[in-house]
Amino acid sequence: MANSNAPKALYDGSDPLFCPWTSRSKDRFYWRCRPWAKEFPGAHRAALPGHAEDGNDLQRAAMARELTRAVYKWMNATPDVAPNTWAWLAHRYSTDDVSPIHDVKANTRAGYIEFIAKIEAVIGKQHIGFLTYVEARKMIRAMEGSGRSASYISRIFRHIRILAGYGVALRAAGASDVRDMLGELRVKQGQPRTSVATPEHVLAIVEAADAQGLFAFGTGIMVQWETALRGVDVFGHWLDIPGTGGIRRGDKLWQDGLTWDMVSDDCRSFAKVVSKTRTALPETLHFQVGDETAARLRKLREKVAFGPAIVSERNGLPYLGTSRAAVWRKLRCEAGVPDTVKMMDTRAGAITQAASAGATLIELRDAAQHRN
């Protein structure tokens, strides 16, 4: 019987005589399931109708393709994505209803998928068990040789570990050995950032924002500085969550930012659950701000007393992450703040300032919303 390109012929009927996973014994034909699908709940062996030279090749081929497609469907695979390969595992982790990827927030999930796609592009066609200690070290050396940072390499292997763990949960061949190997593999961690925003940096940025008519943006920076909150907990972010309700831009839903219902009547305090540690620290935390920041918040509330507290003066909506970063870079340039100071460094600067003022480790831990 004919044997053309399997990925194409198995599904589109381009070769009606394509008869996969079939063998002949004397004048009879038999379909047999592959060993890697030994737990397949359907038939593992089937006699195809008729016998050699009876003119029923088309019928036998159609039956063999149907049986084969059932196995691939059960494995959530295709001939292009062979079972128990890294591409198959990446696909399962990204799409299975029971995958833990659905337990993380949409922005975190997007980051996972980005790095998993990088892994799939390099080793996707390889069997899971291909990744031995030797092969892992070769990957590290190759990435180092191409100029990849220690932080990038560490993130790649963090996501390989995530995939391997899910492979173990699926009882995928080779996954357990890979997970054990990764437990012995040491991958260099990227150096932590040492740049912090000083009080002078923050003041210069806020003054530049006010001069540009971006009073709300400057107020958001003041809130970040005084509370050591992450930008997302003040400005919020837009996540790809289709549906209705909430604050939306098409299929994007705004979440996690500061809203007026969280802010006290005198604007001197607010209460919210911190986004990053929502699962580990689900309780509502209370934050205080100084007189100047409270006055700025009151001025903003005079315009709109509901919904997001910090919105763009241009369109009245919360900032997109990309536009917020672009505004920071522009203001940083106008204020003469070094390029090394990023928006995230306001948080580090606030914590550093608190330490310099004599805060204890416990106080610093609580201010940073860390578990330890």
Side-chain angles (χ1 to χ4, degrees), residues 21 70 102 108 147 226-227 254 289:
W21 303 0
H102 301 298
T108 302
E226 292 194 28
T227 61
W254 183 81
V289 296

Side-chain angles (χ1 to χ4, degrees), residues 115-189:
F115 269 82
I116 287 171
K118 296 178 187 295
I119 295 166
E120 186 176 355
V122 176
I123 61 173
K125 294 182 179 180
Q126 301 287 352
H127 189 275
I128 295 171
F130 145 86
L131 193 60
T132 62
Y133 183 87
V134 171
E135 293 298 333
R137 293 299 305 168
K138 287 181 180 178
M139 285 179 61
I140 292 172
R141 285 199 297 268
M143 285 188 281
E144 290 173 341
S146 63
R148 293 297 188 182
S149 67
S151 177
Y152 179 91
I153 297 171
S154 175
R155 290 184 71 182
I156 285 289
F157 274 90
R158 177 191 172 204
H159 289 85
I160 288 176
R161 286 186 171 93
I162 290 172
L163 289 177
Y166 191 58
V168 172
L170 295 178
R171 300 174 68 181
S176 183
D177 289 341
V178 172
R179 184 185 62 177
D180 291 345
M181 177 276 294
L182 291 171
E184 300 300 322
L185 182 70
R186 297 294 175 261
V187 181
K188 292 180 181 178
Q189 302 296 309

